[in-house]
Amino acid sequence: MHEANPKPPFNVTRASHAVMTARDLDATQAFYCDLIGFQLSARDKDAIYLRGLEERGHHSLVFRKTSGAPACERVGLRVFTDDDLEAAFDHFKRINLSPAWVEVPYQGRTLHVDDPVGTPLEFCSVMDDLPTNLQRFERYHGASPMRLDHHQIVTYDVQAATDFYLSLGFRLTEYTATDGKEELWGTWLQRKGNPHDVVYVNGRGPALHHCGIAVPEIRDIIQVCDVAGSLGFNKHFERGPGRHGIGNALFVYFRDPDGHRIELFNAHYQAIDINHTPLRWDLSDTRRSQLWGLPAPKKWFYEASNFAGKPLCDPTLKADPVTLEAFLANQF
Ligand SMILES: [Fe+2]
């Protein structure tokens, strides 16, 4: 049920980048650069390109200007070589998906395809290589974001999504299932050796729930909260700080000026050896999402960024998580 494919058709290395739309690029840049601490790699009249302090790839977050409703356009994954891109194209054709070659600024050869649950994916093996800012400590501020780590995606069919990524060699580190059953509510899947590159959770989708951004130390999570308070970004707080049961991350969530959600986190663990049994969590166990006890507010579970042009489908699994509102109503 949870077996990864040890010989996948091509080699995905990691979650790499995301492309979103924004209504006001100045506001987006202020949020991500002035508050969170991203580095601006490039900006033109149509888009801004951002990267974390250690990242050498040109961008991990791209925001393209829109006059319409903000959305996520693409979730980016890196493959090892361009030969893997060719193999990916052939594989997707073989399983009746519709891959297409595209030109993307600052990237090498790039492949677009929708996964079987409608998530628009973008694969490349290389981007323009920029100087790292890892030891430019004078540039550390806000949360001092290091790199994009993972994407969490809401889907109407977690089992179908999981089967697809397992077939591509992703490995399951942890999962949430309905109590006493093996109905999948959420799966944490990885290629790079930590808890996750992609997470699929049950809900009305497809939609991007958040991008996870690694920060160097736990105190950076407190620091960005203080900076948000002092710069007046208070309304952008959504959840935390807290510690996830799943993945062990110390986290805080913010919503950007267009409502896109980012997670700033620290303290993942290593997940490399092949014989680790995936960790199972009951959906009703509130420690899975917040080890200290308080579950997420309802809007955290039920709001997400739509994928541009992708219709939403209700989930096939009818199973609701415990929300903060319900938890507090029944606390004592
Ligand atoms: Fe996350």
Side-chain angles (χ1 to χ4, degrees):
M1 171 188 169
H2 303 138
E3 293 300 314
N5 179 0
K7 295 182 178 176
F10 57 96
N11 186 4
V12 179
T13 56
R14 65 181 180 94
S16 166
H17 61 286
V19 183
M20 289 176 264
T21 59
R23 293 163 295 189
D24 180 344
L25 294 183
D26 289 337
T28 299
Q29 185 173 330
F31 176 84
Y32 283 97
C33 296
D34 299 346
L35 170 60
I36 305 297
F38 274 90
Q39 300 295 297
L40 181 68
S41 294
R43 178 169 176 170
D44 58 34
K45 66 179 175 42
D46 298 318
I48 59 175
Y49 298 82
L50 306 173
R51 72 187 193 282
L53 288 158
E54 77 169 53
E55 289 179 312
R56 294 177 53 171
H58 183 271
H59 49 265
S60 51
L61 293 177
V62 179
F63 293 91
R64 288 152 45 89
K65 185 167 174 50
T66 183
S67 55
C72 178
E73 293 190 336
R74 291 277 157 187
V75 166
L77 298 168
R78 209 67 82 89
V79 298
F80 193 46
T81 68
D82 276 3
D83 287 345
D84 289 297
L85 283 179
E86 295 286 350
F89 183 91
D90 293 343
H91 177 71
F92 292 140
K93 289 285 273 190
R94 204 160 43 238
I95 62 173
N96 297 317
L97 299 179
S98 300
W101 298 109
V102 296
E103 296 284 331
V104 176
Y106 310 108
Q107 293 178 196
R109 204 155 189 226
T110 300
L111 184 65
H112 281 181
V113 73
D114 291 353
D115 75 12
V117 291
T119 311
L121 302 177
E122 176 169 295
F123 294 91
C124 66
S125 67
V126 294
M127 284 183 184
D128 287 6
D129 189 32
L130 298 182
T132 178
N133 286 288
L134 182 64
Q135 294 177 325
R136 297 297 301 269
F137 291 107
E138 77 279 11
R139 295 182 179 175
Y140 283 47
H141 70 96
S144 300
M146 286 286 115
R147 62 190 175 277
L148 186 144
D149 179 81
H150 61 271
H151 309 294
Q152 183 160 322
I153 295 155
V154 184
T155 179
Y156 57 88
D157 191 337
V158 173
Q159 184 69 61
T162 304
D163 290 344
F164 175 73
Y165 288 94
L166 290 175
S167 78
L168 298 185
F170 284 70
R171 290 164 52 200
L172 186 68
T173 52
E174 306 199 26
Y175 66 103
T176 297
T178 51
D179 294 23
K181 300 179 183 175
E182 285 301 315
E183 298 169 327
L184 293 179
W185 186 90
T187 51
W188 280 250
L189 297 145
Q190 62 90 9
R191 284 289 294 173
K192 67 178 174 298
N194 77 3
H196 40 285
D197 286 285
V198 295
V199 178
Y200 276 81
V201 294
N202 191 63
R204 191 167 161 74
L208 178 69
H209 187 271
H210 69 263
C211 291
I213 310 295
V215 307
E217 297 182 29
I218 286 172
R219 72 180 173 87
D220 294 306
I221 291 169
I222 306 302
Q223 170 73 6
V224 74
C225 295
D226 280 338
V227 174
S230 62
L231 292 182
F233 283 96
N234 313 64
K235 73 173 185 178
H236 295 271
F237 275 109
E238 188 184 47
R239 181 187 175 198
R243 186 180 294 281
H244 288 310
I246 299 175
N248 195 48
L250 202 297
F251 66 84
V252 65
Y253 290 88
F254 284 87
R255 305 289 287 270
D256 81 3
D258 292 286
H260 302 306
R261 180 184 290 110
I262 61 163
E263 176 189 26
L264 304 163
F265 78 92
N266 180 274
H268 268 173
Y269 60 84
Q270 188 166 283
I272 295 173
D273 300 332
I274 194 68
N275 63 330
H276 286 186
T277 302
L279 299 176
R280 183 192 190 286
W281 298 80
D282 277 339
L283 181 58
S284 67
D285 183 353
T286 57
R287 295 174 310 138
R288 58 176 205 86
S289 180
Q290 228 287 31
L291 192 68
W292 301 340
L294 291 177
K298 189 173 181 180
K299 63 184 295 189
W300 187 90
F301 283 114
Y302 292 101
E303 292 183 7
S305 299
N306 291 344
F307 287 116
K310 304 293 181 192
L312 296 170
C313 300
D314 287 329
T316 52
L317 175 65
K318 307 300 182 195
D320 294 322
V322 179
T323 64
L324 176 64
E325 293 83 352
F327 180 86
L328 291 176
N330 295 295
Q331 192 173 19
F332 295 109

